[in-house]
Amino acid sequence: MPPEALVVAPPVATPRTHGGGELHAALTDGVDWLLERQSPQGWWTAELESNATMTAEHVLLLCFLGLPLDGIREGAVTHLLDARRDDGSWALYHDGPADLSTTIECYAALKVLGVDAASDLMRRSLRVVHEQGGLARARVFTKIWLALFGEHPWEGVPSMPPELIAFPRWMPLNLYDFASWARGTIAPLLIVLSRRPVRPLGVSLGELVVPGTQRLLRRVPGDGPFWWLDRAQKLYERLPRQPLRAAARRRVADWVIARQEADGSWGGIQPPWVYSLIALDLEGYALDHPVMRAGLAGLDGFALRDDRGGWRLQACMSPVWDTALSILALRAAGVRADHDSIRRAARWLLDEQIGDRVGDWAVRVPGARVCGGWAFEFANDTYPDVDDTAVVVLALLRCEPTVEVARAIERAARWVLAMRSSDGGWAAFDRDNTRQVVYRLPFADFGALLDPPSEDVTAHAVEMLAALGRPPSDPVVAAAVDRLRTWRRPDGSWFGRWGVNHVYGTWCVIAALCAAGAGPDMVDAGVAWLIGHQNGDGGWGETCLSYEDASFAGVGASTPSQTAWACTALQLAGLGDCAAARRGIAHLVRTQTGGTWSQDLFTGTGFPGDFYIDYQLYRHVFPVLALGQAVHGVDTARSPRH
C-alpha cells in the first residue's frame, strides 16, 4: 500500500508585504515549509486532486463487487457535496463549467449513498442533467457505468471484441495502437463489453433520462466503417455460439494480471485499475484471490480522509515527479547538495529507477533489454515515462556526483534516446504512438487515445541532453529544436500537453532552448508572449478553458504555479531583472502565507478537454524555485544567454 499523500491545508498566516529583506525571508520560509514535509524515506508528495468522478466511480465499483459502503458513506457524501457548483452540477476543474457526465455520475453515487432524490440539492442537480440532454448525451464511460446496473441498455454502448487481444502489432486497432493509459483501460473493458453484466444497484436512476430521448439510449454514436463494424459485432454477440471468445477472454485476463503492479494497481492510475477489478471479477476471480485482494487494498491506499475534504479517491499519486521538482527547488534556493534532505531524496530516487523490467514501452523499441527510466508513481514499472525520467536526471545532476548517480544518469539518458519518435520529438510513454485510426471508433469520445510527441516532453528531453553536455549542433538536439520550431504558435507561445497550458508549454520550451543555447529568436518570441500576458497584479494565470477556446491562452486569474513558471522562464532567458520578472517575484512574495501559497485553480493536465489535475505541491515548489533563482541567480550552465 503506498503512503498517503500530504494534504496541503489552506495557509492561515497573514500575507507578507514585499520590501527590504522580504524576498529572502519568503525564500527561507518556503524552504523550511518544504523540508518539514519530506517523508523519512526521502520522498515528497501531496494530494493529486482531480474531479469528483473518482469518488463517485469508487462508490459504484463497491456496489458492483458487492462490498459495503458504510466505511466511506459519510465522508464520500461530504466530498461529493463540497465539490458541487452553485447550480447543483459538477465540473471537470475548479471554477469550470457544468459537465454532464460528471454530474450524472456524482448524482448516481449520492443516491446510492442514501441522499434523498427529492431533496432540493438533488433536484437542482437533476435539472442540470436534463438541461444538457440527460443520460443519452453522456460520454461512453458514464453509459458503461450505468449499464453495469441495468440503468442504460448495453445495446447503446459501443462493442469491442476481446479477440482484439490477438491482433498482431502491425494490424490497425491492435492494443499497442492505443496510448498506455487507454491500452490499460481498454484491455479489461474487452471482457466487460463482451459479457454485458447487469447487477443490482439498490436504487433506480430512470429520472436521468430526458423524456423523449429513450430511443437515443440504444443508438451507438458515430458513422463510417467502424459504426458498421459495431453493428456486426453486436449481431455476432447474439449468436448462441461464439467460437474462440472464451479463449480470448482468458487471454485478456492473463494480459491484465501480468501488468498488475506491486501496490496492486494497474498503471498506477484509477481507470485501468477499476476496470481490471471488474473484468477479473467477471472472469471468476473471487474477492479473496491475491490479485483482487491486492487491487482493492491498493485502491484504499489512494484514498484520503480528513475533515476538510471528506473521503475521496485520488486518480493517481506523483511522488517521483514531486521529489525531483522538490530537489530542483531546494537546490535553486541554496540548499547544499550534501544536505541530508537532498541526500535522502537522491537515494530514494535511485532506488525507484526501473532496471531490467521491460514494459509495454519496449514494443516499438527494437532490441530493448533494460529500462533505466522512472515512472510517476510509487509503483508502476510497466510504464516509465520520458517526462519524469528527464526531470529526475536534471535533479540528480544537482545532487552529489557519486558513481551510483552517474550510472543511473547514463542508463536514463540511454533510455530517453531510445524513446525518441521518428519526428525528432518525444512523447510521454511510447514511441511513435500516432496511428489516428483509433479516433474513428465509436468508443473514442473520451480523453486522449494516443500519446504523440508533445512540446513539453520534448522540451524536458532537450533540457536533459543539454545538461549532459550535448551542444546545439548535436543531431538529436538539432532535430528536436527544429520540431519545437514547427510547434510554435504564430503568437510565439507553445501548447502545454501536461500542464495548463500555454504558460506551461512556453516555460518548458524556453527552459530547453536556453539550456541548449539554441533558437534565440524563439526564446525572444516566447518571452514577449509571456510579458504580454502578465496580469495587473504582477502574476500570471491561465484557465483550463484555453484547451477549448484558444482565445483564453494565457488568460486567467494569477496562480502561484503559473506565475513561477513565467518568472523562471524570464530568469533563464537572462531577464530576471526586467520589470515583468520583478513584478512577478513581488507577487509571489506578497501572496505567500504561512510559508506557502494558496491555489484553488487547476494547473495540471491529464487529458486536454477532459481531465485536469491540481498538483497540490505545485503551488509551493515552483514559487520556491523562482524565488531561489531571484536570490541566488541562475546556473549559467543552464542559461547561456546570461
Side-chain angles (χ1 to χ4, degrees), residues 378-436:
F378 281 108
N380 184 11
D381 287 358
T382 303
Y383 297 116
D385 68 275
V386 172
D387 217 17
D388 276 274
T389 300
V391 173
V392 168
V393 168
L394 291 171
L396 291 177
L397 287 170
R398 302 288 287 155
C399 299
E400 291 182 296
T402 65
V403 171
E404 191 174 8
V405 165
R407 288 174 178 167
I409 289 172
E410 190 275 330
R411 290 194 299 269
R414 188 187 311 126
W415 183 75
V416 169
L417 289 171
M419 293 294 290
R420 187 169 69 114
S421 290
S422 57
D423 69 350
W426 281 267
F429 295 93
D430 283 304
R431 193 172 82 171
D432 290 324
N433 182 246
T434 57
R435 192 176 273 179
Q436 293 288 324

Side-chain angles (χ1 to χ4, degrees), residues 101-410:
S101 293
T102 304
T103 301
I104 287 174
E105 292 183 23
C106 292
Y107 176 95
L110 285 172
K111 193 170 181 181
V112 168
L113 291 166
V115 177
D116 186 359
S119 64
D120 178 66
L121 66 90
M122 292 289 273
R123 285 190 287 109
R124 283 190 290 133
S125 300
L126 184 61
R127 186 182 308 123
V128 175
V129 170
H130 279 228
E131 288 171 350
Q132 295 201 14
L135 180 56
R137 302 294 182 188
R139 63 176 174 245
V140 167
F141 272 73
T142 300
K143 294 178 178 179
I144 291 173
W145 275 110
L146 269 64
L148 291 171
F149 303 102
E151 298 293 334
H152 187 284
W154 279 110
E155 183 182 351
V157 174
S159 295
M160 292 186 72
E163 290 83 358
L164 185 148
I165 191 71
F167 283 17
R169 293 166 189 171
W170 55 263
M171 183 181 291
L173 301 182
N174 76 85
L175 272 184
Y176 296 94
D177 273 356
F178 297 91
S180 62
W181 55 85
R183 181 187 317 140
T185 301
I186 288 171
L189 278 177
L190 296 176
I191 292 174
V192 177
L193 295 176
S194 69
R195 287 201 175 273
R196 296 180 164 195
V198 174
R199 292 185 180 175
L201 184 60
V203 298
S204 171
L205 298 172
E207 69 270 24
L208 293 171
V209 179
V210 174
T213 65
Q214 287 85 350
R215 62 182 179 82
L216 297 177
L217 297 176
R218 299 185 178 277
R219 180 183 301 173
V220 175
D223 52 22
F226 291 117
W227 182 80
W228 289 106
L229 286 174
D230 183 86
R231 292 290 298 272
Q233 171 66 14
K234 283 179 166 54
L235 290 173
Y236 175 74
E237 289 168 349
R238 294 173 186 166
L239 295 176
R241 291 188 68 256
Q242 299 161 2
L244 305 180
R245 177 135 295 188
R249 281 196 288 248
R250 285 196 299 271
R251 186 168 173 181
V252 173
D254 290 343
W255 189 96
V256 169
I257 291 171
R259 283 156 179 78
Q260 187 177 37
E261 297 292 342
D263 64 351
S265 73
W266 278 269
I269 54 177
Q270 184 262 6
W273 202 335
V274 297
Y275 294 117
S276 293
L277 289 171
I278 291 172
L280 294 177
D281 176 79
L282 292 172
E283 288 303 294
Y285 287 80
L287 296 181
D288 61 355
H289 186 281
V291 171
M292 299 292 286
R293 192 168 60 244
L296 290 168
L299 270 179
D300 189 62
F302 271 50
L304 294 174
R305 307 163 179 83
D306 59 68
D307 294 338
R308 182 171 63 88
W311 188 98
R312 56 211 186 271
L313 187 75
Q314 298 177 99
C316 187
M317 297 181 76
S318 54
V320 171
W321 186 246
D322 291 338
T323 301
L325 294 175
S326 296
I327 290 174
L328 290 170
L330 290 172
R331 292 290 287 120
V335 177
R336 291 170 54 93
D338 60 0
H339 190 283
D340 178 64
S341 176
I342 303 297
R343 283 178 168 172
R344 285 189 290 123
R347 164 50 54 194
W348 185 79
L349 285 175
L350 291 173
D351 290 343
E352 288 296 304
Q353 188 174 29
I354 300 168
D356 58 2
R357 179 168 175 176
V358 178
D360 283 0
W361 57 270
V363 167
R364 290 198 170 110
V365 181
R369 293 290 181 272
V370 295
C371 182
W374 279 267
F376 189 67
E377 304 89 348
F378 281 108
N380 184 11
D381 287 358
T382 303
Y383 297 116
D385 68 275
V386 172
D387 217 17
D388 276 274
T389 300
V391 173
V392 168
V393 168
L394 291 171
L396 291 177
L397 287 170
R398 302 288 287 155
C399 299
E400 291 182 296
T402 65
V403 171
E404 191 174 8
V405 165
R407 288 174 178 167
I409 289 172
E410 190 275 330

